[in-house]
Amino acid sequence: MSIFESIDRPTLLLNEKQARQNIAFMAEKAAQNGVRFRPHFKTHQSAEIGEWFRPYGVSEITVSSVDMAEYFADHGWNDITIAFPVNLRQVQAIDALARRIRVGLLVESTESAAYLARHLTAQADVWIKIDVGAGRTGLPWQQPEKILPILQVCQSSHPLHLRGLLTHAGHTYGAGSVERVRQIYAETLQRLESVHAYLSQASRSPLELSVGDTPACTLVEDLRGVDEIRPGNFVFYDAEQTLWGTCRPDQMATAVACPVVAVHAEREAVVVYGGAIHLNKDFTTYQGQRAYGLVALPEANGWSEPLEGAYVSSLSQEHGLVHVPERWLDRIQIGGLLMILPAHSCLPVTALKSFLTLEGRRIDTLNS
Amino acid sequence: MSIFESIDRPTLLLNEKQARQNIAFMAEKAAQNGVRFRPHFKTHQSAEIGEWFRPYGVSEITVSSVDMAEYFADHGWNDITIAFPVNLRQVQAIDALARRIRVGLLVESTESAAYLARHLTAQADVWIKIDVGAGRTGLPWQQPEKILPILQVCQSSHPLHLRGLLTHAGHTYGAGSVERVRQIYAETLQRLESVHAYLSQASRSPLELSVGDTPACTLVEDLRGVDEIRPGNFVFYDAEQTLWGTCRPDQMATAVACPVVAVHAEREAVVVYGGAIHLNKDFTTYQGQRAYGLVALPEANGWSEPLEGAYVSSLSQEHGLVHVPERWLDRIQIGGLLMILPAHSCLPVTALKSFLTLEGRRIDTLNS
């Protein structure tokens, strides 16, 4: 446990071996299905971890911001989709990037398409964002006629290259069961195909289909109906994906090591140094309770299985309040560490800025 | 609106004039009550904003981490309470700090007190943390006999100077009404006094009383029963304090300017660039709904009153989904800005790392 001895504050641990296995699993699945693998790098945000994808022939990636695109372009990636409704206030930065590499943009309004047509000097791929039911962003799949004006703007504009239709079926994250995830994926595909059929006459070139949520990409066997998949979370998975059956507990590749600062046995509560500024206040549901993370014990090679019945019950700025059933309390002491398996794995990466591998090596990210 | 034109990403705006007025209000209130004002600097985390307290004679402060204590010690503050259960894994850093300045530590177990007694070489103040009902940290006020062993450790240890009893009645944040906040404060004081009375015979020196939540310090008129107050949030207030009547809307001194990237009028939804990594996923309740923030429009001198009925309904990593009633939609366009008044003001400060004043000046923080 020597690398744990030096930990004096909330620290993001990475099981490198497991993360590499998760990458291999998804890359091989994409290859078997004959679909392009364009992984979302917003989960790890790390140039070094990005390199772990190269042996599988990955050369196209997804990111969630212009800053992240610039960072990965600086690290040798030259085909990047910025999977976020294009931010017109960053058009100059986007144009500069499109002069260096192939950039994909998400468009969901005629106004944005027209603005890009007027302000871009370099060519960019345009993906039209379709809402297949998540209700966050995108044009509603039921009204494909609304997409025609965007198609026309793209087709009459030199810098805009219409690439295809893209969706993020984010509602798989709230599906709650493996069966429901598979249903949502089948619906997603049907809905995308119906939009595709409507537009195919109006489009001068074939339109590709891009999908990409971790639950569906993990659980659906047959992904052959699309051109590319863009999952991100699978590289680490997390407590929620474990609870919902997307992955096994041992497939979780990150944990936040948190110093124990108080133990209140009479109320089955442990207080750790590790709060909202380290984990972000993102929660899932565990045993009917709001849970900001599950809980494991440090072990020589990493961390234990999640402790049955234990979870992070609340977070304030620096504090984590952890419910720990009585039977585990004799394993926990003030000055020791608890390993928090975050509800969602992406947000602690931004908050904690770098990883510490179980071999004691630091891995930087965009924010380091 | 010239300073807003250059904003291309989520940006933390600060109304400096209002923040200075908020500081003046609380400093004068403390002075009128004859209690020491030891403001919590975790809200602003900024050396420059810290200086705005000096004209009121403030020389003692509160922080929430050892890092923050070191930062403010480097900026000339030499009496700092670290209001977090002492993290034994940082004892060397604490000891180094205690050699430079006067440091106050929070202790809530005999183990921690004994560990400090063995490992500190410089003297530190010890505040015993009392739980008056919030149920997060601290020793239960109903069992003062549990405190005696800590008292004994402190009194037989050279480096530990027992200073008093400290509480954070964090449940005022969930009180929901002005009347209930005042009730909780009255209870808090009674409970602290009962612990104080129990311990006064055993203690060799008088024990001070320290309290400090913004709702009570703002709303309770008579604060004379304690030695010091430690509010922090009042410097900016926020949406929750406004909704609960702790402050007026115009007393909120921060907002996050977010680029508008999509408008979906048919579902009264606006999508902004501004998500969980900018605001943190912290919410309050507005009109019965989970609200990550209220919403205002940019104005020449800052931002408007909150738009009636509008709120941030969900956050993902980079996206904010904003519910905007139809009547406001013609004021909002893609490429413009929305001003998000965060549910709680402390967390976006950590996430966004610096402020932009309405005069266009950047103010750094600990994380800049």
Side-chain angles (χ1 to χ4, degrees), chain A residues 221-259:
Chain A
E221 293 308 316
D222 185 351
L223 296 166
R224 286 173 302 174
V226 298
D227 295 280
E228 68 172 26
I229 59 170
R230 310 180 322 277
N233 173 279
F234 71 94
V235 63
F236 303 145
Y237 290 113
D238 53 34
E240 187 168 86
Q241 296 307 311
T242 305
L243 291 169
W244 290 351
T246 307
C247 68
R248 300 185 311 273
D250 61 290
Q251 288 176 299
M252 285 187 277
T254 57
V256 181
C258 295

Side-chain angles (χ1 to χ4, degrees), chain B residues 145-184:
Chain B
E145 67 281 3
K146 287 198 174 175
I147 302 171
L148 289 174
I150 302 180
L151 210 82
Q152 284 153 9
V153 171
C154 291
Q155 292 185 158
S156 62
S157 154
H158 173 68
L160 302 184
H161 170 246
L162 185 61
R163 185 87 186 259
L165 307 176
L166 178 148
T167 197
H168 176 67
H171 47 322
T172 56
Y173 287 90
S177 78
V178 171
E179 197 41 52
R180 182 74 189 118
V181 167
R182 291 182 176 140
Q183 278 173 8
I184 290 174

Side-chain angles (χ1 to χ4, degrees), chain A residues 100-154:
Chain A
R100 295 166 60 193
I101 65 164
R102 185 170 189 176
V103 173
L105 302 174
L106 269 52
V107 170
E108 58 184 89
S109 69
T110 317
E111 300 95 295
S112 290
Y115 189 93
L116 292 175
R118 285 197 307 276
H119 290 86
L120 286 183
T121 61
Q123 197 174 58
D125 288 342
V126 169
W127 293 92
I128 296 174
K129 180 74 189 284
I130 308 295
D131 178 7
V132 294
R136 183 178 67 176
T137 57
L139 290 154
W141 69 274
Q142 305 95 324
Q143 296 167 295
E145 67 281 4
K146 287 198 173 173
I147 301 171
L148 289 174
I150 302 180
L151 211 81
Q152 285 154 7
V153 171
C154 291

Side-chain angles (χ1 to χ4, degrees), chain B residues 111-165:
Chain B
E111 299 96 294
S112 290
Y115 189 92
L116 292 175
R118 284 198 307 276
H119 290 86
L120 286 184
T121 62
Q123 198 175 57
D125 288 341
V126 169
W127 292 92
I128 296 174
K129 179 75 189 282
I130 307 296
D131 179 6
V132 293
R136 183 178 68 176
T137 56
L139 291 154
W141 69 274
Q142 305 95 324
Q143 296 167 295
E145 67 281 3
K146 287 198 174 175
I147 302 171
L148 289 174
I150 302 180
L151 210 82
Q152 284 153 9
V153 171
C154 291
Q155 292 185 158
S156 62
S157 154
H158 173 68
L160 302 184
H161 170 246
L162 185 61
R163 185 87 186 259
L165 307 176

Side-chain angles (χ1 to χ4, degrees), chain B residues 257-276:
Chain B
C258 295
V260 174
V261 297
V263 176
H264 294 283
E266 71 289 355
R267 53 178 198 253
E268 297 187 311
V270 172
V271 184
V272 296
Y273 177 22

